[in-house]
Amino acid sequence: MKNKILTIAAWIAAHITIIVIAVTAVALSFPASFTWINTSAITPMLGIVMFGMGLTLSPSDFKPVLQNPKSIIIGELAQFIIMPFLAWLLCRLLPLSPGLAIGIILVGCCPGGTASNVICYLAKGDIALSVAMTGVSTLLAPVVTPALVWLLAGESVDIDIIGMFLSIVQVVILPIVLGFGFNHYFRKATKLITPLLPMFSTLAITSIIGIIVAHNSKNITSCSLIVGIAVILHNVFGLILGYSLAALTGSDRRKRSAIAIEVGMQNSGLATSLAATHFTMFPMAAVPGAIFSVWHNFSGSIAAQIFRKQMPEKQKE
């Protein structure tokens, strides 16, 4: 029985892209399948994902920060400069409504997503660097994300910086700290839970996508083309610029892949939660986060294959 559960859990985690696409299609075609769940459920679901991330972390995961600060600094600068600027630029160039623009800027200002670590593993990139970058950017997010959103969108929209700070601490930092502590004090229980974490994360992420897509199905259908263009351009240019910056600064191929993936994939679930909590006057603000979540899983799988093919044979092993 245990082996069957583990097999099912592994299959669900390995096919996240297919599941995300299927859930999106169902939510668009039959909104009632998810509209019975209130959007307020997004926050605790995201907390589950962050708690799971905390369970997988240990002090050793942050050793690369001290041992190789150059790569971390390069990655974090790229994360919080390239992606917010790209989001702002796309909002200037494309005919987006204020709500959609806010949603895209929110995604651009968010830290790296947890799925980036899985994609980095598939790409045979530097996993230790990827995990450290996700951890550092997440810890910086309570201060950096609200500040960047205020800087880029504060002229046109009132930004509750303190409220956003508290939301990120509540939704991201607190669950990670609790997971980290649980892992430290209840290691045996953590070992039993860990194999199931990718499945729980996948189900939570896809549920968040389904809720947002279903509640905004009509709006998504009407704006899917323009938002789709913005999402694809933001993600693709993020991957390219992240990889290029890492290459220009002398990083090896494994580190280039890790930095590119970490920069190109944001925590769109957090962006969706912030939009639903702090920008209720713009219902469309939550839409880009949901579309980003769908696209990130799809593009991440493709990027992993491309980066893996570029890797020297010795580094693939």
Side-chain angles (χ1 to χ4, degrees), residues 287-305:
V287 172
I291 296 178
F292 266 104
S293 295
V294 178
W295 174 255
H296 279 163
N297 286 284
F298 179 72
S299 68
S301 301
I302 297 174
Q305 297 301 318

Side-chain angles (χ1 to χ4, degrees), residues 14-140:
H15 294 82
I16 183 172
T17 303
I18 297 173
I19 296 171
V20 165
I21 293 173
V23 167
T24 302
V26 171
L28 279 174
S29 303
F30 308 100
S33 58
F34 284 95
T35 50
W36 61 275
I37 307 175
N38 195 282
T39 53
S40 60
I42 293 171
T43 297
M45 286 181 180
L46 184 59
I48 292 173
V49 176
M50 294 296 105
F51 179 79
M53 178 182 173
L55 284 176
T56 63
L57 293 176
S58 65
S60 62
D61 291 322
F62 292 92
K63 284 184 179 179
V65 178
L66 300 175
Q67 295 174 344
N68 190 17
K70 175 186 172 183
S71 296
I72 296 290
I73 293 170
I74 292 169
E76 298 306 331
L77 287 174
Q79 177 79 60
F80 288 118
I81 294 176
I82 289 176
M83 301 313 284
F85 175 74
L86 275 176
W88 175 84
L89 185 61
L90 287 169
C91 291
R92 291 281 180 171
L93 296 176
L94 297 174
L96 297 165
S97 68
L100 292 175
I102 287 293
I104 289 171
I105 287 175
L106 276 171
V107 174
C109 296
C110 277
T114 54
S116 61
N117 305 143
V118 178
I119 298 300
C120 184
Y121 170 78
L122 296 175
K124 295 296 179 182
D126 191 325
I127 300 172
L129 175 59
S130 177
V131 171
M133 280 186 62
T134 301
V136 171
S137 66
T138 300
L139 292 175
L140 292 173

Side-chain angles (χ1 to χ4, degrees), residues 231-251:
V231 166
I232 292 171
L233 290 176
H234 188 259
N235 175 238
V236 171
F237 276 108
L239 291 168
I240 293 172
L241 292 174
Y243 190 92
S244 300
L245 180 61
L248 288 172
T249 52
S251 300

